[in-house]
Amino acid sequence: MERLEHVRVVIVTESFLPALNGVTTSVCKVLECLRDLGHDALVIAPGTSPWSPTMTPEHYAGYPVHSVTSVPVRQFRVGLPSYEIETVLHRFRPDVMHVASPFVLGVRGLTAARALAIPSVAIYQTDMPSYIKQHMGPAGDLTARAAWRWIRRIHQQADLTLAPSQAALADLAAHDVPRIGLWGRGVDSDLFTPDRRADPETRALRARLAPNGETLLGYVGRLAPEKELHRLSELARMPGTRLVLVGEGPSREMLEAQLPGAAFLGRREGLQLAQAYGVFDLFVHTGTRETFGQTLQEAAAAGLPVVAPARGGPLDIVAVNITGDLFDPDVPGDLAATVRPLAATTEAAAQRRHAMGLAGRERVKARSWPALVDQLIDHYSMAIAAFSESVA
């Protein structure tokens, strides 16, 4: 296989700025690295309405962003498929199409790529069947099976589908998705670092949140039902601790009622987000439907021990008793039982947290976005080669 020295890539994404989530973050980081390597790129993404307070940017990382008409669905913007994608592709003439978490707009992108003989790489990033199952009540199982059939039809159009974890890869294989491979996620270990604890802003925030030396149990992410944050109720009254949640979402008001004494810091980005990690003593994640778990990796880079469910993406990130611990989400009280010895205010517990944090950072600091995008370009090369063979 010949490695691409220069690539023209069009990225079709189901989510983009101003929305902040794992899909958006991954696309932005890929674009930044492609720019630094001198490649060409173009983005096709859902647009925002002209009266939106924050609109989809026209450029990112120096690359043009083509916005398509979108409609709001459960606080997400869903791009509507249209034939304008073919026009954009004709003008740009990409070597490969990168489709981020295809479900609606991405399907149209893959169909257009197939029609125009453009090799394609699809990124599987969202466990949509599990989310659908969670929200559909008695019809959940039936609807989730239908969602998997839809996902298989989508990804059958791609020359290569990349999953972010071994668990996600196994799910794809179990549902007969062809031509699959593993591609993780990068982390900015220069931004997310234990050194943030020494920032004056971090010190001031910690003094406000833990005036009596409480152990701070932190969560970062969307405040939404699919994150299963109701599980944090087990920790709400743990002696000597305080819960701190970073993020926004439809569940905030309910969580404020469920978690008395918890601090809600709202949405944070960049340096402010890194300083929030610097405030925490222990990072806790509750969702069982994560294909990866980017915030777990950011927490590890920040030198924090991580506690997460023993399911899905966290299995690839958390090394039990080395970088953190995993709890059984099917056993009531197991989250509290797992957190309690790590959250103690004793010197022994503090030393254990410190050792786990150092081990976690050591494991993730090599997973830089430049290294991951270098791997991605190899995947692009494989997809192009496979496509060439299929049409020869």
Side-chain angles (χ1 to χ4, degrees):
M1 179 192 71
E2 183 177 352
R3 179 180 170 81
L4 296 171
E5 296 301 325
H6 181 269
V7 62
R8 291 176 64 82
V9 54
V10 60
I11 298 181
V12 180
T13 177
E14 299 287 351
S15 177
F16 198 60
L17 298 171
L20 284 181
N21 50 52
V23 174
T24 298
T25 298
S26 295
V27 169
C28 289
K29 290 299 183 181
V30 167
L31 289 168
E32 291 166 11
C33 293
L34 289 173
R35 174 200 59 199
D36 294 343
L37 292 169
H39 299 292
D40 292 324
L42 178 144
V43 181
I44 300 175
T48 46
S49 63
W51 53 87
S52 173
T54 309
M55 294 184 64
T56 300
E58 294 183 357
H59 292 83
Y60 187 82
Y63 297 128
V65 177
H66 180 87
S67 298
V68 302
T69 302
S70 68
V71 295
V73 178
R74 294 184 65 89
Q75 297 191 341
F76 290 96
R77 289 177 296 120
V78 176
L80 298 179
S82 75
Y83 287 102
E84 66 183 292
I85 291 180
E86 277 89 345
T87 302
V88 174
L89 295 175
H90 272 300
R91 291 173 179 168
F92 185 66
R93 298 186 179 278
D95 300 310
V96 64
M97 176 181 285
H98 170 138
V99 189
S101 197
F103 207 72
V104 179
L105 182 61
V107 175
R108 186 74 193 90
L110 287 168
T111 301
R114 182 66 61 182
L116 298 173
I118 299 169
S120 59
V121 174
I123 311 299
Y124 176 72
Q125 193 158 334
T126 305
D127 186 359
M128 194 62 70
S130 290
Y131 290 155
I132 290 173
K133 182 177 179 179
Q134 182 183 29
H135 292 290
M136 291 299 292
D141 286 336
L142 184 63
T143 311
R145 287 197 294 271
W148 269 116
R149 288 194 295 272
W150 177 239
I151 288 172
R152 183 165 57 249
R153 287 180 60 188
I154 292 171
H155 288 273
Q156 282 174 339
Q157 297 186 70
D159 296 291
L160 178 63
T161 289
L162 299 176
S165 66
Q166 292 291 346
L169 199 66
D171 278 345
L172 292 174
H175 291 90
D176 300 321
V177 175
R179 300 179 296 280
I180 57 178
L182 183 66
W183 180 63
R185 297 292 178 270
V187 64
D188 187 344
S189 57
D190 293 326
L191 176 63
F192 302 106
T193 167
D195 295 343
R196 294 291 170 214
R197 295 172 190 165
D199 290 0
E201 296 85 355
T202 306
R203 289 177 175 272
L205 180 59
R206 181 172 180 91
R208 177 166 65 86
L209 294 173
N212 300 310
E214 292 91 343
T215 299
L216 296 182
L217 313 178
Y219 164 84
V220 173
R222 183 169 158 78
L223 307 184
E226 64 268 16
K227 299 301 182 181
E228 303 174 62
L229 292 165
H230 63 278
R231 298 179 188 275
L232 292 177
S233 297
E234 295 184 21
L235 311 178
R237 293 180 174 82
M238 188 172 288
T241 70
R242 188 181 189 189
L243 283 166
V244 182
L245 288 79
V246 176
E248 286 291 356
S251 297
R252 175 163 177 166
E253 186 175 342
M254 180 189 68
L255 289 167
E256 287 176 335
Q258 286 183 343
L259 307 174
F264 291 80
L265 301 186
R267 172 170 161 166
R268 288 183 167 229
E269 305 172 43
L271 179 58
Q272 281 196 326
L273 176 58
Q275 289 169 340
Y277 281 112
V279 165
F280 304 156
D281 295 297
L282 177 67
F283 187 81
V284 180
H285 190 77
T286 52
T288 60
R289 297 169 174 84
E290 301 292 342
T291 59
F292 185 69
Q294 181 64 13
T295 58
L296 281 68
Q297 191 164 245
E298 291 171 354
L304 294 172
V306 173
V307 172
R311 191 169 296 165
L315 296 172
D316 281 12
I317 298 175
V318 180
V320 175
N321 292 325
I322 299 173
T323 69
D325 209 346
L326 298 170
F327 70 92
D328 187 341
D330 295 327
V331 177
D334 198 51
L335 171 58
T338 304
V339 167
R340 191 173 292 109
L342 287 172
T345 54
T346 64
E347 182 61 27
Q351 290 178 357
R352 189 180 180 207
R353 291 195 300 268
H354 179 69
M356 285 182 164
L358 290 179
R361 178 168 173 81
E362 190 64 28
R363 283 171 64 98
V364 304
K365 69 180 183 180
R367 301 178 192 172
S368 67
W369 274 108
L372 268 292
V373 171
D374 196 54
Q375 294 175 18
L376 181 61
I377 292 171
D378 284 339
H379 287 303
Y380 290 164
S381 300
M382 291 172 58
I384 291 171
F387 179 83
S388 299
E389 291 179 4
S390 69
V391 299

